Amino acid sequence: LTWALLAKRLSGKYAVAAVDLRGHGESSRDGAMSFAIEELTRDAVAVWAHLFGAARPPTVVLGHSLGGAVAIHASSLEGIPSLAATVVIDVVEGTAMQSLPYMLQVINRRPKAFDSVQHFVKYAYSSGLTKNFEAARVSAASQVMPGGASSSTSGSSKEEKEGGFVWVTDLTKTEPYWKGWYSGLSKRFLGVPVPKLLLLAGTDRLDKDLTIGQMQGKFQMKVLPAGHAIHEDEPDKFCEALDGFLTRFRIA
């Protein structure tokens, strides 16, 4: 549902399929599942094959943050033969790798539980998780769940026993996979064999490989002043940038 505002604006012109990665949203939350980038990529390609494999329409793979890493790994003509473009939102190998040592601190500072969905919405907006109140309201249902529900990670925490709402995905349990998500990502992105668009919240996020690649014209880049969740914070500006990119390469 973090794609809801974007899908609403694009669905009149494009067929949009927004996927919950394993352990996220309404997808399976088996605590023993692997979150390795190879598994996440296979999931994404399998969804494409199920929905579009027979018709093979021109396909644009788009992902944000971890989803951006999955989009890059999935962007091969072997997995998606009709791949037309790849769009990645605010994920850069250099910045991500530098941030990993601090991620547990960031995660542990978040509330473990919320009294209500409304409480989560207020937290998401006030903390900057998204700067768009409508996006916070829409995506809440995919990010938190009643404390008594079965989580992919939480087991029987105090918060679950006492009720309220807890995070759907316990990101601390994905820590063993973090480095694998982002290692080698910039070179892999530059090697994607179709037009590429990188949307960033700031130019300081570019690492060395991407800086050189951008100077060589190997991908298009657009900076939109927003938070990390650009597509939620600025859906209208995002759609304008995306539509302009697709029109330029005659994918629209």
Side-chain angles (χ1 to χ4, degrees):
L1 288 176
T2 58
W3 296 105
L5 301 188
L6 194 63
K8 180 180 179 180
R9 288 160 172 79
L10 294 175
S11 59
K13 190 173 182 179
Y14 306 98
V16 179
V19 180
D20 285 334
L21 296 179
R22 57 173 62 192
H24 294 71
E26 295 185 353
S27 289
S28 173
R29 295 191 290 271
D30 179 357
M33 69 174 55
S34 169
F35 285 89
I37 190 66
E38 295 81 8
E39 297 295 334
L40 298 174
T41 301
R42 275 192 282 269
D43 290 346
V45 172
V47 170
W48 178 86
H50 177 74
L51 295 176
F52 307 113
R56 295 190 176 187
T59 300
V60 178
V61 179
L62 191 156
H64 167 250
S65 197
L66 165 59
V70 175
I72 291 170
H73 279 261
S75 291
S76 72
L77 298 178
E78 290 77 20
I80 302 178
S82 58
L83 182 69
T86 298
V87 180
V88 176
I89 308 171
D90 213 41
V91 59
V92 170
E93 177 186 352
T95 305
M97 297 297 281
Q98 290 172 10
S99 301
L100 292 185
Y102 311 102
M103 283 306 298
L104 281 178
Q105 298 176 35
V106 173
I107 293 170
N108 288 330
R109 283 200 297 265
R110 304 187 310 176
K112 296 296 189 295
F114 304 90
D115 295 333
S116 63
V117 172
Q118 291 75 15
H119 181 200
F120 169 80
V121 171
K122 290 180 180 179
Y123 164 77
Y125 183 69
S126 62
S127 68
L129 192 61
T130 174
K131 297 181 179 181
N132 185 324
F133 191 71
E134 182 185 7
R137 291 180 60 194
V138 171
S139 67
S142 68
Q143 299 190 64
V144 294
M145 62 183 179
S150 176
S151 164
S152 64
T153 53
S154 302
S156 55
S157 68
K158 178 180 178 182
E159 289 80 8
E160 287 180 307
K161 292 177 180 179
E162 293 180 352
F165 290 79
V166 297
W167 295 95
V168 169
T169 307
D170 181 353
L171 295 178
T172 62
K173 298 297 179 68
T174 65
E175 183 184 8
Y177 307 100
W178 291 351
K179 186 175 181 180
W181 290 348
Y182 304 114
S183 181
L185 197 62
S186 291
K187 289 183 179 179
R188 184 179 288 270
F189 173 68
L190 293 172
V192 169
V194 293
K196 300 173 283 294
L197 174 63
L198 177 62
L199 289 123
L200 299 174
T203 54
D204 59 313
R205 286 164 163 78
L206 283 183
D207 58 23
K208 179 180 178 181
D209 287 331
L210 291 183
T211 298
I212 295 173
Q214 200 271 331
M215 293 174 65
Q216 294 174 338
K218 292 185 177 180
F219 63 93
Q220 303 294 304
M221 186 179 75
K222 180 75 172 179
V223 177
L224 294 177
H228 178 51
I230 302 173
H231 58 302
E232 292 188 89
D233 292 352
E234 296 287 353
D236 290 322
K237 292 180 180 179
F238 182 96
C239 286
E240 182 180 349
L242 178 62
D243 199 41
F245 167 74
L246 298 180
T247 299
R248 177 176 181 179
F249 288 97
R250 300 182 180 181
I251 301 169

